[in-house]
């Protein structure tokens, strides 16, 4: 068996050598018959392709660095909250410093010998080529542990965002995780909530290079419109909050204190108020109009949507129709 493999390897090597030589002779023949303008165009194309490959590599590397920095920011936020409440001891502050020191430099580790390196490489290849293992692991981790797992999965095991094989395997892993999520979630309102590992996975995936480019290309104008034109527009539809705001505005106009009942009112009583109902009805119409504005833009820009995001949306739709026909 080994002899056959060696023979095949030598045969493949000889074939690749012949192919390389044949290509070189073809290139030489074309260069002898091509005019300078054609050669210049080919050189420009080769340079542009090289620049494109370099940019893709830089985007992948920068995405990983951004993810690590965001993880550190969330870690610091949790510790700052404790510090404000005077509950952080000296040992905890040292722990924060040690944690950040470990993630400051994204350097590659080294194994003491080739045997461990080979075994580690085999393990990573197995995890990459069979996404079911990572999918099962994603179901076991908690929300506090998901960031470390996502850093390894999204930016190391499937770190090449522009390579079709890795993208296919990553999406296969997503399919397994989403299927499990739909099959084991009894309540529809609990699906894909913001505080679950699955939702964090999809958020991290869409914030990689292609997803960021899509947002800038398709939705930047709409997002800027909302953040600039609608910044001071009140779209609150919680009946109790709407009632409290309404009474406070009336009191400010009259120059008196708020006329809320001493014990306050319940949400049901606020929702039964005709004026509150009118305000909520008007705001719901505004929200529907705004949602349609975004939805129409997304549908019109479907050709700009990255394949991975469209594929995930299709899986969510198919799983939803299967579970809730």
């Amino acid at each position: 068996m080994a002899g056959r493999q060696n023979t095949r390897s030598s045969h493949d090597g000889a074939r690749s050598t012949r192919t390389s030589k044949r290509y070189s002779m073809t290139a030489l023949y074309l260069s002898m018959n091509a005019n300078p303008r054609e050669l210049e165009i080919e050189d420009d194309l080769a340079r542009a392709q090289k620049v494109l490959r370099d940019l893709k590599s830089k985007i992948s590397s920068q995405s990983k660095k951004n993810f690590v920095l965001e993880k550190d920011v969330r870690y610091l936020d949790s510790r700052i909250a404790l510090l404000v409440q005077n509950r952080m001891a000296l040992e905890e502050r040292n722990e924060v410093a040690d944690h950040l020191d470990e993630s400051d430099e994204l350097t590659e580790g080294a194994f003491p010998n080739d045997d461990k390196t080979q075994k580690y490489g085999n393990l990573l290849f197995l995890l990459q080529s069979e996404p079911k293992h990572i999918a099962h692991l994603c179901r076991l981790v908690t929300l506090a542990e998901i960031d470390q797992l996502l850093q390894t999965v999204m930016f190391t095991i499937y770190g090449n965002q522009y390579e079709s094989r890795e993208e296919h395997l990553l999406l296969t892993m997503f399919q397994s995780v989403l299927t499990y999520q739909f099959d084991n979630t009894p309540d529809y309102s609990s699906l894909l909530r913001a505080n679950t590992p699955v939702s964090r996975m999809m958020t991290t995936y869409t914030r990689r290079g292609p997803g960021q480019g899509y947002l800038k290309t398709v939705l930047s104008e709409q997002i800027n419109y909302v953040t600039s034109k609608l910044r001071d527009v009140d779209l609150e539809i919680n009946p109790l909050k709407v009632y409290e705001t309404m009474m406070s505005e009336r009191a400010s106009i009259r120059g008196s204190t708020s006329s809320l009942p001493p014990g306050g009112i319940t949400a049901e009583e606020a929702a039964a108020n005709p004026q509150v109902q009118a305000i909520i009805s008007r705001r719901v119409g505004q929200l529907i109009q705004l949602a349609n504005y975004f939805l129409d833009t997304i549908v019109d820009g479907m050709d700009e949507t990255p394949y991975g995001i469209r594929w995930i949306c299709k899986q969510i739709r198919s799983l939803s129709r299967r579970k809730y026909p």
Side-chain angles (χ1 to χ4, degrees):
M1 184 66 180
R4 292 178 60 186
Q5 290 180 347
N6 293 335
T7 303
R8 179 180 297 177
S9 299
S10 61
H11 175 70
D12 291 342
R15 183 174 58 184
S16 63
T17 303
R18 289 197 300 270
T19 303
S20 177
K21 290 181 179 179
R22 187 181 300 116
Y23 176 79
S24 299
M25 292 299 294
T26 303
L28 177 61
Y29 176 77
L30 291 175
S31 64
M32 292 173 61
N33 290 274
N35 57 52
R37 178 59 180 170
E38 292 177 346
L39 292 177
E40 182 179 352
I41 293 175
E42 290 184 0
D43 290 342
D44 291 341
L45 178 60
R47 283 194 293 268
Q49 290 175 340
K50 183 178 184 302
V51 171
L52 183 60
R53 288 193 299 269
D54 293 341
L55 289 176
K56 288 181 178 180
S57 176
K58 290 179 180 178
I59 290 174
S60 299
S61 177
Q62 190 62 43
S63 297
K64 181 176 181 180
K65 293 180 181 178
N66 290 344
F67 178 82
V68 174
L69 291 176
E70 290 174 0
K71 185 180 68 173
D72 285 342
V73 168
R74 287 193 295 269
Y75 181 80
L76 285 175
D77 281 341
S78 63
R79 291 302 182 266
I80 289 173
L82 295 178
L83 182 61
V84 171
Q85 299 174 14
N86 296 321
R87 291 192 300 180
M88 178 179 280
L90 178 61
E91 293 78 8
E92 290 178 301
R93 276 179 276 178
N94 293 334
E95 178 189 350
V96 173
D98 294 340
H99 175 84
L100 294 179
D101 288 341
E102 292 175 359
S103 59
D104 278 343
E105 297 182 359
L106 301 176
T107 57
E108 297 182 356
F111 289 95
N113 54 56
D114 293 339
D115 182 58
K116 287 187 177 181
T117 303
Q118 181 67 30
K119 292 179 179 178
Y120 185 73
N122 292 338
L123 173 62
L124 286 181
F125 178 78
L126 178 65
L127 292 175
Q128 185 192 59
S129 57
E130 298 186 14
K132 61 181 181 180
H133 301 299
I134 296 179
H136 184 71
L137 185 60
C138 291
R139 300 196 294 263
L140 300 177
V141 298
T142 63
L143 190 62
E145 300 169 333
I146 191 65
D147 283 340
Q148 191 66 35
L149 177 63
L150 290 180
Q151 179 179 343
T152 303
V153 174
M154 297 286 189
F155 302 104
T156 301
I157 297 179
Y158 303 112
N160 191 345
Q161 306 170 25
Y162 300 94
E163 207 275 319
S164 57
R165 176 181 174 273
E166 292 189 11
E167 188 75 2
H168 168 73
L169 293 171
L170 179 59
L171 293 177
T172 303
M173 186 269 292
F174 266 106
Q175 183 182 33
S176 178
V177 173
L178 287 172
T179 301
Y180 179 85
Q181 177 85 356
F182 273 82
D183 291 342
N184 293 272
T185 302
D187 187 10
Y188 182 79
S189 61
S190 301
L191 282 171
L192 305 179
R193 299 182 63 179
N195 57 347
T196 61
V198 177
S199 60
R200 182 71 65 80
M201 286 173 57
M202 290 192 293
T203 301
T204 304
Y205 175 81
T206 55
R207 295 180 69 177
R208 302 197 307 172
Q212 292 286 345
Y214 166 72
L215 286 178
K216 293 178 182 178
T217 303
V218 178
L219 294 176
S220 59
E221 181 179 350
Q222 286 70 24
I223 294 174
N224 290 333
Y225 171 78
V226 172
T227 56
S228 59
K229 302 295 184 181
L230 302 180
R231 177 179 300 177
D232 300 326
V233 177
D234 190 357
L235 296 175
E236 178 63 61
I237 58 175
N238 184 305
L240 191 57
K241 293 182 179 179
V242 171
Y243 180 83
E244 293 175 352
T245 303
M246 181 181 68
M247 300 305 294
S248 298
E249 290 177 352
R250 287 183 179 179
S252 62
I253 293 175
R254 297 172 183 173
S256 60
T257 58
S258 177
S259 57
L260 288 173
I265 63 172
T266 64
E268 291 76 11
E269 293 173 341
N273 186 294
Q275 295 176 332
V276 171
Q277 292 177 354
I279 294 174
I280 292 178
S281 177
R282 184 177 68 253
R283 292 178 180 177
V284 167
Q286 291 176 304
L287 289 172
I288 293 176
Q289 183 180 5
L290 186 61
N292 289 332
Y293 176 55
F294 274 90
L295 184 60
D296 292 341
T297 303
I298 292 173
V299 173
D300 293 339
M302 188 176 298
D303 293 337
E304 302 290 338
T305 308
Y307 171 79
I309 296 178
R310 295 175 63 178
W311 190 89
I312 291 176
C313 293
K314 179 181 178 181
Q315 295 302 313
I316 294 175
R317 178 177 180 270
S318 300
L319 292 170
S320 299
R321 296 185 66 180
R322 187 184 72 179
K323 188 174 180 66
Y324 305 101

